[in-house]
Amino acid sequence: MREKAIYILAILAAVVMISNLKTVFTGLPDEAMQGAIYRIIFIHVPAAINADIFFTISLVTSILFLMKKNFFWDSVSVSCIEVGTMLVLLNLVTGSIWGRNQWGVWWAWDLRMTSQLMCFLLYLGYLLVRPAIAEPTQRATLSAFIAIFAYADIPLVLMAIRLPNVRTQHPGPVLETGTMAAEFRAPFAIGILAIFLICSALVLIRLHQETAQREIDSLRRELHSV
Amino acid sequence: MDITNLTFLFYGYSAAWIIITAFVFLLVSRGRRIDRELARLRSLVADKEKS
């Protein structure tokens, strides 16, 4: 059943992604100021939005684990964080390439970019600390606390370009201010959906691996007790 | 499409797909390792229960 869901999600994601890339590269006009490079927005921003979605799921499941002590929630949490961290890396790298072209520098230490880098490092820390703890309950509990702590950075990332007295190098919000042209909105929304579908398939694969890993842990304990 | 900035657009999308592909390869190789370990441990437990 889970395998079927993964295949369906992956095929759907591929179809949506390919048709959207076709629209982005052949159907949309160049942006007046930036030329062709603005098309990075159709992968750069959807990656960040999806990372925030998966980190929010990990926050909820971490709290659920602490409340119910059910390891399923811990597995969902680590799966979402792993995929979310990959998306933040993708966001940072594509943003840096865009910045090099538009600003002439690979990196600017403004609030948005620095808080996003902090976000990447916090969740990377989660992924590095986790395997260092052998005892499963202790590992899941500490991981849940780190996930909740790391999530505190997300509102800062979101607010960094919206705070009234903060000047940032990063462009301001384009969705709620209505500065994005109407013809760009549909491919942008479909880009978010495509990355969500790809990453949901990856989370399901990762979840399956976590379940198998727990079985390995229990078999090892059984072997030691025999 | 205007060819201005096309090189950086190519770099951006290439980097994105390299990151996603590397992550998928990482998942697949870890999955194989986990499956092998699981099969090994299952047979070990079965052997111990027989003896």
Side-chain angles (χ1 to χ4, degrees):
Chain A
M1 179 64 193
R2 186 184 283 174
E3 263 186 29
K4 215 175 181 176
I6 291 168
Y7 283 125
I8 290 169
L9 274 172
I11 292 166
L12 205 62
V15 171
V16 174
M17 179 60 93
I18 290 167
S19 71
N20 198 47
L21 284 176
K22 186 176 174 288
T23 310
V24 167
F25 282 95
T26 62
L28 294 181
D30 285 341
E31 207 262 349
M33 306 291 286
Q34 300 181 27
I37 190 78
Y38 86 96
R39 287 178 175 84
I40 276 187
I41 198 179
F42 296 104
I43 196 147
H44 171 75
V45 183
I49 291 173
N50 275 291
D52 290 348
I53 291 171
F54 286 108
F55 289 148
T56 306
I57 297 171
S58 81
L59 172 77
V60 174
T61 51
S62 294
I63 293 169
L64 281 171
F65 172 78
L66 290 176
M67 284 164 63
K68 298 182 188 296
K69 295 289 174 194
N70 182 340
F71 280 96
F72 171 74
W73 298 121
D74 174 59
S75 302
V76 176
S77 186
V78 67
S79 307
C80 287
I81 286 177
E82 216 170 277
V83 173
T85 308
M86 181 272 291
L87 288 173
V88 174
L89 176 67
L90 195 155
N91 172 260
L92 286 170
V93 171
T94 53
S96 178
I97 290 168
W98 179 88
R100 176 67 184 81
N101 182 259
Q102 291 295 303
W103 305 331
V105 289
W106 291 104
W107 187 261
W109 290 101
D110 77 345
L111 185 59
R112 166 54 80 90
M113 294 161 74
T114 310
S115 56
Q116 185 73 323
L117 178 65
M118 262 171 60
C119 175
F120 174 70
L121 294 175
L122 282 166
Y123 283 106
L124 188 68
Y126 170 100
L127 295 172
L128 292 176
V129 164
R130 210 179 143 81
I133 306 162
E135 207 282 309
T137 311
Q138 210 176 11
R139 177 174 58 213
T141 308
L142 186 70
S143 299
F145 280 118
I146 297 174
I148 294 166
F149 171 74
Y151 193 82
D153 184 58
I154 303 291
L156 181 64
V157 177
L158 293 174
M159 291 307 294
I161 52 169
R162 293 173 176 85
L163 293 171
N165 297 321
V166 176
R167 288 177 63 194
T168 61
Q169 180 85 6
H170 191 281
V174 289
L175 289 176
E176 63 259 39
T177 52
T179 46
M180 180 183 265
E183 60 199 316
F184 294 167
R185 285 184 197 150
F188 185 79
I190 296 169
I192 295 171
L193 175 70
I195 292 189
F196 181 75
L197 290 172
I198 292 172
C199 291
S200 299
L202 294 177
V203 165
L204 284 179
I205 294 170
R206 188 66 190 84
L207 195 57
H208 173 70
Q209 291 179 355
E210 269 302 302
T211 313
Q213 186 61 52
R214 273 210 309 278
E215 194 181 338
I216 287 174
D217 288 344
S218 87
L219 283 173
R220 278 187 183 143
R221 277 197 300 275
E222 200 178 320
L223 272 172
H224 281 295
S225 63
V226 173
Chain B
M1 193 193 297
D2 182 10
I3 59 158
T4 321
N5 307 331
L6 213 58
T7 314
F8 278 89
L9 182 64
F10 173 75
Y11 291 159
Y13 272 88
S14 302
W17 288 111
I18 287 169
I19 290 168
I20 293 173
T21 311
F23 185 78
V24 170
F25 271 109
L26 221 78
L27 269 189
V28 170
S29 69
R30 181 162 48 190
R32 282 189 187 145
R33 186 171 47 78
I34 285 173
D35 287 346
R36 272 201 307 270
E37 181 69 1
L38 199 58
R40 189 183 72 85
L41 286 171
R42 275 178 184 157
S43 74
L44 268 176
V45 169
D47 287 349
K48 284 229 174 184
E49 278 170 357
K50 271 183 207 162
S51 60

